[in-house]
Amino acid sequence: QVYRDAMADYDVFDGLYQQEMDRFRASFAGEIVINPFSSSTNQVVERGGKLVALYSPGMDIGQPLISDVQFGPVRLFETKQGYCLCNDHLAARFNHTGELIDLQCGTSPNIVSGTSNTFIIYDDVPLFWDAWDVMEYHLETRQEFKPASCKVVLKSEVRCALEVAVPLGPHGNITCRISLDATDKNLSFSAEVDWKARHKFLKVEFPVSFSTDQAQYEIQCGMVSRPTHTNTSWDSAKFEVSGHKWAYLGDGGARGMGLISGSKYGYSSRHNALVMSLLRSPTAPDQTADIGRHTIRYALLPDTHGRVQQSSLPDLASHFNRPIDILKGTGKGPIPASPFLSLPAPTSVQVQAIKRAENGRGMVVRVYEPYGVQQENVTLTLRGGVFTRAHEVNAVEEDRTRKPMEMTRIQEEEDEHDVINFNMRAFEIKTIYLEKELKSGKRRDIAEFASPSKKLRR
């Protein structure tokens, strides 16, 4: 019932979203690209029936820009062992049936161990709460399924792809598309799963060729570390870890590997292998849970740093989950102006939200530090020069300190910008209230906004 209610709600939200997007498209003519993240990106997208490499600055709305970076072509060719798929950033080798046997980044040695992208099914019969509990003893029922065939399905200078067929016997089958773009630093996978199992647990595994005792997993506004060993009963109990868009293993020196998820949030990292949980098949309270067809996207990112703080994994995971797209306007107006905010690099601070204040006046910007590294002298640039003061408030937008943040106004050609400087502690979340100047020239006192809105009080 929860899923049925959720799908009904999603249909309502999707309808509202489409209405807003239709109204937005009707406000301009031409094409635009929207990048809502703080980091810039180069991506291959379809434009006019062709695949092209586009560049989009961080937090930008603007016309599609052809990337000015000279990317070498993607190469896909057969070898004695099977296939080789490579670009300027990485090289991946597969055997004749499509198993990943070698993954290199730059001049680094092979990062994977043995065969990777291995699909595994476990028995899944918990003692209680069929759809919620997962018992550790399920790990003793491992059953690997090997791919049956591999073929080339796309070969161009900007994108190449292989297609691997993995039969699961009575449990269904998988068709996995493995692709690499000229702009990619990660190897992408898209698995079409026809799932027919009952009380089974499907996972995909990527063993690594180095050793580490900790793995990192993304959570909201940060990350957590969990052991890769079972030295204590507490460690043993952490056989399954929840995470958001990525999980990471690194040796702290020269080798690391990130696993990016497009829609799955269960991971494990025992015995120096990154594993992602894909599907289950409980029978209570829903006898048909997960039965049917699924599209599951994920990606591998090799790096030569061995530390997630030095890798590009979090930014790439965000763009993997929300790739840039070209929007075509249906109206006659000008191209919309870019967002008023920018967060110049280098900094690990990320913008989580830009919104109207709950009181209906002023703006709120929420930023956070995701890597556990203190940041000094972070600069937030607000275009337009329309703000008079900035205050740090709490999560419900109450100002309890009444201490204004340092804000200066600068002149850049014919435009004015407001610049805020501040420091961030490790994993800190900071909510900044921006006060606008009234047309009369009077400024609203921040005391007006000291208490939460009626909506929040309810």
Side-chain angles (χ1 to χ4, degrees), residues 2 19 28 33 55 62 86 129 183 232 284 349 356 365 385 392 455:
V2 171
Q19 289 179 16
F28 67 93
V33 171
Y55 168 77
C86 56
W129 313 115
T183 59
T232 68
V349 176
R356 181 179 296 175
V365 177
E392 184 178 351
K455 180 180 177 181

Side-chain angles (χ1 to χ4, degrees), residues 218-244:
E218 187 196 37
I219 60 173
Q220 185 178 16
C221 300
M223 65 182 183
V224 295
S225 294
R226 293 291 182 264
T228 61
H229 53 75
T230 57
N231 290 353
T232 68
S233 59
W234 287 17
D235 297 333
S236 181
K238 299 171 185 176
F239 58 89
E240 183 89 1
V241 182
S242 60
H244 285 191

Side-chain angles (χ1 to χ4, degrees), residues 20-70:
E20 290 299 318
M21 290 304 295
D22 290 342
R23 187 169 65 176
F24 176 57
R25 289 190 181 97
S27 67
F28 67 93
E31 296 179 335
I32 64 169
V33 171
I34 300 176
N35 177 10
F37 302 111
S38 304
S39 59
S40 60
T41 180
N42 290 283
Q43 296 182 29
V44 172
V45 300
E46 186 173 345
R47 186 184 187 190
K50 296 181 180 180
L51 294 173
V52 295
L54 296 184
Y55 168 77
S56 180
M59 306 209 67
D60 185 70
I61 297 176
Q63 293 177 315
L65 302 174
I66 300 298
S67 179
D68 57 2
V69 179
Q70 296 299 317

